[in-house]
């Protein structure tokens, strides 16, 4: 598209030079100035398009990461929902999964450690629910779930402040 615009510029410049009879140095200066203008604008537009594409890719990655975390929380809820005494615990896990689904999909590099810690907590919860034969699942799970809920709230609050 920039080439087409430059071609239109050259045609307009030729018409102007024919009707106003510009000198050769003015004619050359007009074309050089136009070429520089189009190169600068083209470079700027290319940077904008590339940075927008990178932001879209980062947002897509963040959405997929949150969806993965929500799925892990759902799997942990399923693992803990087998016993009656863990019914409210499984409900809290499902609520956490829902909160993850509706969290802001954007992320920030300064939140990487918190998001990784949240992922580790959810994976530990999932594994402890699947292996709750020793009876320690709900007690340890309660601590892990409270920590995961706190981390998600902090992440969302910090992300809001970073915008």
């Amino acid at each position: 598209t920039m080439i087409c615009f430059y071609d239109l510029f050259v045609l307009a410049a030729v018409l102007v030079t024919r009707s106003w009879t510009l000198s050769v140095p003015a004619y050359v200066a007009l074309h050089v100035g136009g070429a520089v203008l189009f190169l600068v604008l083209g470079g700027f537009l290319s940077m904008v398009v590339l940075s927008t594409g990178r932001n879209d890719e980062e947002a897509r990655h963040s959405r997929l990461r949150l969806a993965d975390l929500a799925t892990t929380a759902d799997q942990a809820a399923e693992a803990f929902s087998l016993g009656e005494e863990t019914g409210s615990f499984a409900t809290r896990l499902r609520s956490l999964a829902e909160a993850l689904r509706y969290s802001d999909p954007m992320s920030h590099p300064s939140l990487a450690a918190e998001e990784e810690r949240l992922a580790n907590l959810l994976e530990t919860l999932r594994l402890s629910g699947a292996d709750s034969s020793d009876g320690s699942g709900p007690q340890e799970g309660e601590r892990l779930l409270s920590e995961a809920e706190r981390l998600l709230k902090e992440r969302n609050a910090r992300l809001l402040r970073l915008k």
Side-chain angles (χ1 to χ4, degrees), residues 11-162:
L11 287 174
V14 167
L15 289 175
V16 166
T17 57
R18 296 277 182 216
S19 64
W20 288 354
T21 60
L22 294 177
S23 65
V24 173
Y27 177 79
V28 171
L30 179 68
H31 281 281
V32 169
V36 169
L37 178 71
F38 276 97
L39 287 175
V40 169
L41 286 176
F44 176 73
L45 290 176
S46 296
M47 289 184 344
V48 168
V49 167
L50 290 176
S51 68
T52 302
R54 188 183 75 235
N55 290 342
D56 289 346
E57 183 64 27
E58 289 172 1
R60 187 176 77 71
H61 178 70
S62 294
R63 280 191 301 274
L64 289 174
R65 178 79 170 149
L66 283 174
D68 186 43
L69 291 175
T71 300
T72 304
D74 277 333
Q75 290 171 348
E78 284 298 317
F80 277 105
S81 67
L82 299 176
E84 289 182 21
E85 67 276 358
T86 59
S88 66
F89 185 75
T91 302
R92 280 181 59 202
L93 273 169
R94 285 191 181 91
S95 295
L96 179 64
E98 196 69 16
L100 282 163
R101 278 188 196 90
Y102 291 107
S103 287
D104 191 339
M106 291 304 291
S107 189
H108 192 273
S110 67
L111 299 173
E114 287 176 352
E115 290 173 350
E116 188 61 32
R117 173 78 176 129
L118 183 60
N120 290 338
L121 283 171
L122 290 172
E123 184 62 23
T124 303
L125 271 168
R126 186 183 67 78
L127 293 174
S128 67
D131 186 33
S132 59
S133 58
D134 60 357
S136 66
Q139 293 81 19
E140 178 65 13
E142 183 68 38
R143 183 187 68 77
L144 294 173
L145 179 57
S146 295
E147 177 72 9
E149 289 170 334
R150 183 188 64 76
L151 275 175
L152 181 61
K153 285 179 185 174
E154 285 180 10
R155 175 216 180 260
N156 289 340
R158 283 187 59 201
L159 189 60
L160 189 61
R161 285 191 306 267
L162 288 169

